[in-house]
Amino acid sequence: MSQQTYPKNAWYVAAMSEEVAGSQPLGRKICGESIAFYRSHDNEIAAVLDFCPHRGAALSLGYVEEGLLVCGYHGLKMGADGKTKEMPLQRVKGFPCMKSYAVEERYGFIWVWPGDQSQADKSLIPHLEWAVSPEWAYGGGLYHINCDYRLMIDNLMDLTHETYVHASSIGQKEIDESPVSTEVEGDKVITSRFMENIMAPPFWQAALRGNGLADNVPVDRWQICRFSPPSHVMIDVGVAHAGNGGFDAPANKKASSTVVDFITPETETSIWYFWGMARNFKPEDQALTDTIREGQGKIFAEDLEVLERQQQNLLAFPDYDLLKLDIDAGGVQSRRIIDRLIAKEQSAKASIAVSPSQSSAPLQTVSF
């Protein structure tokens, strides 16, 4: 049995809201759990194990009717609680209850708790100010990538690779010439890099123009990467005309954004990667949002091949001990937090499975 590599008692982004619409369910594997997402009564989001108790068909291949998920194989109808409600001409009320999942729709995303539903606390879903404030605009997308989710966290917590992987868009030599600082605050990790009096790369030149600023003058640039468990990374990025305070420069002197990264494990070697960029300048400009989304999508597509080939190499050379440098500190610290959460989760499971009273009590025979 393989070792657990992700915490399951946590909120993960499972889908964008528009992916689950009308009478069509969505089947998606999250943390090894095959889940069918659908709209039940009053358009509420629901999530159940993607398994029909009749013949094992995938419920996500069915449809929704009057708030119930109908299996597309023989018409079994299931409720959001995982209980079989009815089936044409059959007595099915005694069918076993399928697993249902704690699920919440918020900020334009569908969040799921793939572990113990009784522990799901909706207050643990992170607050996303950019998703509710009219002063911000957001555009993003979704990639399926065949890699361990921790490789993507490593990638995002150390942006040195931008110089090489993204040379034509956001990369520049000053990135890997600038030192990185790493801080740990409880279960959060922050890596920061600041560059002063440099020329902006193409992507940020376009962003400056989009905010009505000159793009051919020296700028101060910043990258502040913030990891929070289980696998969310928010990155404050931007450029400001040099000498105006950098990250703290007034809005009319800079172009800044938050890169949004929700990394959701599908399996141990594949992920659903929800990416986007939230900006707080010209939020009403939809054309600018579309342009930024297109540019950012191309940038992340460049990461995709690198990560998938990296995963293939790691599987081919499982005994190779990878080198760790100071630029890797953000990813290393993030992994330590993940490992701590997994260990805590497994310890709790073990204590429930074998309590002292259960382990010491003699076996008893009960007669009826």
Side-chain angles (χ1 to χ4, degrees):
M1 184 176 180
S2 60
Q3 183 178 2
Q4 182 177 338
T5 59
Y6 36 70
K8 297 184 77 168
N9 287 330
W11 289 105
Y12 291 92
V13 172
M16 295 178 286
S17 289
E18 61 265 28
E19 290 187 89
V20 186
S23 62
Q24 183 61 49
L26 172 71
R28 184 157 286 170
K29 182 172 286 188
I30 306 294
C31 293
E33 301 274 331
S34 295
I35 305 175
F37 298 89
Y38 67 100
R39 302 280 177 182
S40 62
H41 299 284
D42 300 321
N43 208 40
E44 287 289 318
I45 196 71
V48 297
L49 185 68
D50 196 5
F51 184 96
C52 178
H54 171 224
R55 301 298 295 169
L59 290 170
S60 60
L61 295 178
Y63 58 92
V64 180
E65 183 178 84
E66 297 180 349
L68 299 178
L69 182 55
V70 183
C71 179
Y73 198 12
H74 296 97
L76 178 144
K77 295 183 179 180
M78 181 173 289
D81 56 3
K83 294 181 179 180
T84 299
K85 303 301 181 182
E86 58 183 275
M87 187 174 173
L89 299 178
Q90 306 299 317
R91 296 179 180 178
V92 294
K93 292 299 177 70
F95 272 26
C97 182
M98 292 293 97
K99 183 176 182 179
S100 61
Y101 299 84
V103 65
E104 176 78 0
E105 186 169 15
R106 194 180 299 183
Y107 308 128
F109 299 103
I110 294 170
W111 303 74
V112 69
W113 184 281
D116 182 356
Q117 186 173 166
S118 67
Q119 296 187 38
D121 181 353
K122 293 181 180 180
S123 70
L124 297 178
I125 296 175
H127 175 70
L128 306 177
E129 181 62 25
W130 50 263
V132 296
S133 171
E135 297 179 0
W136 289 77
Y138 174 81
L142 168 63
Y143 283 143
H144 180 266
I145 306 177
N146 290 309
C147 75
D148 186 318
Y149 78 107
R150 295 169 297 183
L151 295 181
M152 178 58 88
I153 294 173
D154 294 343
N155 173 282
L156 295 166
M157 292 301 290
D158 168 33
L159 300 182
T160 305
H161 72 278
E162 288 185 359
T163 300
Y164 308 96
V165 180
H166 311 303
S168 64
S169 54
I170 56 177
Q172 58 186 135
K173 61 183 178 59
E174 288 88 352
I175 296 175
D176 56 352
E177 293 174 351
S178 304
V180 181
S181 66
T182 301
E183 302 174 58
V184 180
E185 299 178 356
D187 280 348
K188 299 184 184 299
V189 182
I190 303 170
T191 61
S192 305
R193 178 186 267 122
F194 299 93
M195 295 153 274
E196 296 183 350
N197 203 38
I198 63 173
M199 299 305 294
F203 180 89
W204 285 110
Q205 288 177 349
L208 286 167
R209 292 193 299 272
N211 199 24
L213 295 169
D215 65 349
N216 59 349
V217 299
V219 298
D220 296 331
R221 184 180 180 184
W222 60 90
Q223 299 170 327
I224 306 172
C225 310
R226 308 175 191 275
F227 165 84
S228 58
S231 51
H232 311 326
V233 180
M234 302 289 134
I235 310 176
D236 290 327
V237 292
V239 294
H241 284 178
N244 287 281
F247 177 79
D248 296 315
N252 63 351
K253 296 292 184 180
K254 67 182 178 182
S256 61
S257 303
T258 298
V259 178
V260 176
D261 305 284
F262 293 122
I263 309 150
T264 300
E266 177 189 39
T267 67
E268 293 177 352
T269 56
S270 60
I271 65 173
W272 301 104
Y273 177 39
F274 298 87
W275 56 266
M277 180 171 279
R279 74 175 190 283
N280 59 352
F281 63 91
K282 293 194 173 180
E284 74 288 347
D285 191 337
Q286 184 59 45
L288 180 59
T289 300
D290 295 339
T291 298
I292 291 175
R293 180 197 293 114
E294 181 181 356
Q296 190 187 25
K298 291 178 180 178
I299 291 170
F300 285 140
E302 294 170 340
D303 287 303
L304 193 153
E305 182 178 8
V306 171
L307 291 167
E308 291 192 336
R309 293 289 294 274
Q310 181 186 14
Q311 180 65 67
Q312 291 170 17
N313 274 346
L314 293 175
L315 291 174
F317 301 95
D319 298 324
Y320 192 91
D321 188 14
L322 296 180
L323 302 176
K324 295 180 178 63
L325 306 174
D326 58 348
I327 59 174
D328 303 313
V332 170
Q333 294 295 341
S334 298
R335 286 177 180 242
R336 287 177 179 172
I337 291 170
I338 291 169
D339 289 344
R340 187 163 64 245
L341 293 176
I342 293 173
K344 180 180 178 181
E345 188 173 299
Q346 292 178 329
S347 176
K349 284 183 180 178
S351 65
I352 293 174
V354 184
S355 67
S357 60
Q358 291 174 319
S359 60
S360 60
L363 294 175
Q364 297 181 2
T365 301
V366 180
S367 301
F368 294 92

